[in-house]
């Protein structure tokens, strides 16, 4: 199964559907990092879950993620 809806309504995507989801985010950000605005190739875009991924918070919907470059993703996690 590539898309699963949890009992509390969250969407979890895997495999091919997660790649399609990444493409939606990449199109939304118009090939630019949503943190710093620099041009970003699709292969290097990282999906940042703004509400977290662990402890039952992961929600693979466009409203809950950002398309970031590696440095901005690291910064978002305080590294």
């Amino acid at each position: 199964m590539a898309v699963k809806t949890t009992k509390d309504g969250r969407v979890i995507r895997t495999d091919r559907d997660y790649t399609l989801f990444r493409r939606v985010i990449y199109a939304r950000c118009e090939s630019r990092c949503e943190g710093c605005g620099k041009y970003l190739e699709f292969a290097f875009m990282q999906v940042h879950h703004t509400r977290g991924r662990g402890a039952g918070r992961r929600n693979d919907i466009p409203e809950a993620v950002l398309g970031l470059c590696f440095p901005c993703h690291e910064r978002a996690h305080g590294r």
Side-chain angles (χ1 to χ4, degrees):
M1 179 187 310
V3 179
K4 174 184 171 188
T5 303
T6 63
K7 291 179 184 178
D8 61 357
R10 292 177 296 111
V11 176
I12 308 298
R13 300 173 193 274
T14 58
D15 304 322
R16 182 183 248 172
D17 195 64
Y18 194 75
T19 301
L20 295 173
F21 175 64
R22 288 183 71 240
R23 290 192 185 284
V24 168
I25 302 307
Y26 189 70
R28 178 188 73 193
C29 67
E30 299 177 344
S31 307
R32 302 219 171 256
C33 172
E34 292 184 283
C36 66
K38 291 183 182 175
Y39 173 77
L40 188 59
E41 291 183 38
F42 176 74
F44 297 107
M45 182 192 73
Q46 297 187 355
V47 175
H48 173 65
H49 291 79
T50 58
R51 301 174 193 163
R53 280 187 66 169
R57 295 181 305 240
R58 178 177 174 179
N59 197 0
D60 295 335
I61 57 172
E63 300 80 20
V65 301
L66 294 173
L68 299 177
C69 64
F70 179 76
C72 285
H73 198 196
E74 288 289 298
R75 209 171 8 264
H77 286 283
R79 298 182 211 149

